[in-house]
Amino acid sequence: MLRSLLAASCGFVLLVGRVAAEDKMPVELKLVVKKESIAWPYVLGPKDFEAKLKELAKAKDPRYPLAPSVDMVLEFTNTTKEKITIYVEGDANKLTLAVKGPGVTSASPLLAFTTDFRLPKMVVIEPGKTHEVQLKGLTDGFRKVSRYIYPLAPGEYSISATYQLTTADGVKAALLKSGEAKFKIDEPK
């Protein structure tokens, strides 16, 4: 595998994300859950909510409930001694969340999107510093909302993220993976 970085006047610009195992990635991804305990997020109880989702999956035009709100942050940290430039939050940037716990399912709701192509935003990160991207719920995919993730039971869950960086023109660059963070879904009241 190759690692390709382009030296620029302000430091490094991350171009290609294929990295040899012995190379250290110049940017590190961390997923931080801001609130570790979350109230049961649905009106229905666990068994009824799961049954409702199964019913919706068979419907011709399903109207899925919103995914639970979980206050999280993606942290991109510069692990080098030089400034680096990354490009985030464009249409080619893709967030994928992996949630594990006592019960998890997902759905791809029928959503309308504008046809414009959103270019990524340039972010310069100083050595040892971090850039944060706010996440408000258990959603991922295209524009961070094309897939809803539903925990189906109270209990302990772990969550990790994969984030596709791109170049300034939206070409795929490094694929970053976070470690696991934890959160708990409380019993329904």
Side-chain angles (χ1 to χ4, degrees), residues 68-135:
S69 290
V70 178
D71 190 9
M72 300 176 288
V73 174
L74 284 177
E75 291 182 350
F76 298 87
T77 302
N78 179 352
T79 60
T80 72
K81 295 180 182 179
E82 304 285 334
K83 290 181 189 178
I84 62 167
T85 299
I86 61 171
Y87 295 88
V88 296
E89 299 196 52
D91 280 353
N93 296 97
K94 184 177 178 185
L95 168 68
T96 304
L97 297 175
V99 180
K100 297 182 221 166
V104 179
T105 193
S106 64
S108 296
L110 300 173
L111 301 173
F113 292 99
T114 59
T115 58
D116 61 321
F117 182 74
R118 297 180 181 177
L119 289 172
K121 298 174 187 172
M122 181 179 83
V123 176
V124 177
I125 308 174
E126 297 289 331
K129 299 296 182 187
T130 298
H131 172 74
E132 294 183 348
V133 172
Q134 189 73 34
L135 305 176

Side-chain angles (χ1 to χ4, degrees), residues 2-15:
L2 302 171
R3 179 178 72 178
S4 177
L5 295 176
L6 173 66
S9 60
C10 66
F12 288 102
V13 179
L14 190 59
L15 286 183

